Amino acid sequence: MVKVLSINAGSSSLKFKLYSMPAEEVLVSGLVDRIGHQDGAFSYKVGDEKHESVQPIEDHTKGVQLVIDALLDSGVIKDKSEIVGVGHRVSHGGRKYEKSVEIDENVENEIDKLATVSPLHNPVNLAGIKAFEQLLPEARDVAVFDTSFHSTMPPEAYMYALPYEYYEKYGIRRYGFHGQSHQYVYSEVQRKFGDAQAAKIISCHLGNGASICAIKDGKSVNTSMGFTPLAGLVMGTRCGDIDPNIIPFIEENEHLSPDEMRTVMNKKSGLQGLSGVSNDVRDVLEAESAGNDRAKLALKVYVHQIQHYVGAYAADLNGLETLVFTAGVGEHSAPIRSRVCKQLGYLGVTIDEQKNKNNEFEIQGRDSKVKVLVIPTDEELVIARETSRIISK
Ligand code: ADP
């Protein structure tokens, strides 16, 4: 049995889970939130025991110190050296990292360089890595990239029809994200139903960020996010696919800089931008019930875009055996799942509305030719699995 930490560092937060591997038992889970603020929040759970505190948390290093102190204080570890591996979620692995990798100086430099294509995520992922290196120097650090699971996509799925020189010069291609989540979905379908039912899966990760993945025999063959996590579906505040010519048009007419335009597309679009109500599906559904026409429109576009990709990926897979909903919306929103599935009759998809309402694991109707599943995602577990695999080599 070894103890492995799974880390997901954001710009102002750090989610962690301590696992006993290979049992995959969660010993402690928690969140350091509002990093960089006087009223930083730290919460963690050991078994059923919950702890919460508010205090200044100036940076990621301070956050990591809190995590280590909590693990020691709670008695889950007696010494820091018991943590043999730390797995870090890293957003962008570029062309360089098709698999998870043990972190050394070289890898850190590469993650840093990839900040040019992932300015919002890679630098904060690196801040988390550096903080652990400083405070847990004996543990081996592993980078688990969002992009790696999609490295099996064929060129026809990942190349953009731009001048080839940009692919060579800047690595401009589709990479895809949420790899840990889609990989987990595959592993669960495979574990419960075996290889045959897992041969052709469409995994819909619908959270604040959202992406769809076509998985054939355990390998990603296409996914809706692209060079960055902005492409594909309508998301909470991200626009997803748009005609690229819209970008210079708005920049010119609204006198926006590329940076300001990036903010519009990442933070002011999606459900929020269309509805004017909220980025949260629950709020938009509520506004729709109250007769808000823009909320109604936003949800129509949101659902339509999911249906569009499911159709496209059923074609990529040449069929469909299992359709999976996961992440915040996918796991909890029966109305969204129901609306998406209403237009999938041509694929043989039907759902049992009562099972759907109850958020059951299997929600397909009796006559459905396709299994329709609700699977709570577990990206942290994939990070822990990858980490323990690599450090046991
Ligand atoms: P993230 O992409 O930030 O990891 P999550 O996967 O946690 O996000 O999903 C967060 C989103 O899930 C929220 O913004 C909200 O829209 C949605 N959500 C959570 N619970 C529900 C629910 N019961 N009904 C509809 N949407 C929900």
Side-chain angles (χ1 to χ4, degrees), residues 38 41 348 375:
Q38 281 302 306
I375 299 183

Side-chain angles (χ1 to χ4, degrees), residues 207-209 280-282 327-329 332-333:
N208 222 341
D280 192 312
V281 167
R282 285 166 290 197
V329 181
H332 304 291
S333 186

Side-chain angles (χ1 to χ4, degrees), residues 181-252:
S181 179
H182 295 303
Q183 187 174 337
Y184 179 75
V185 160
Y186 167 73
S187 71
E188 280 299 281
V189 177
Q190 203 270 345
R191 185 173 72 83
K192 298 247 176 170
F193 303 108
D195 288 337
Q197 201 67 44
K200 293 175 182 177
I201 301 173
I202 293 179
S203 165
C204 305
H205 176 110
L206 309 176
N208 222 341
S211 71
I212 299 199
C213 183
I215 306 170
K216 194 167 195 173
D217 298 321
K219 295 191 168 74
S220 168
V221 293
N222 209 346
T223 192
S224 58
M225 283 179 167
F227 178 59
T228 74
L230 183 58
L233 299 176
V234 174
M235 306 181 216
T237 60
R238 289 178 233 162
C239 58
D241 294 342
I242 57 170
D243 177 345
N245 258 336
I246 294 168
I247 299 165
F249 181 92
I250 294 180
E251 283 175 354
E252 282 159 19

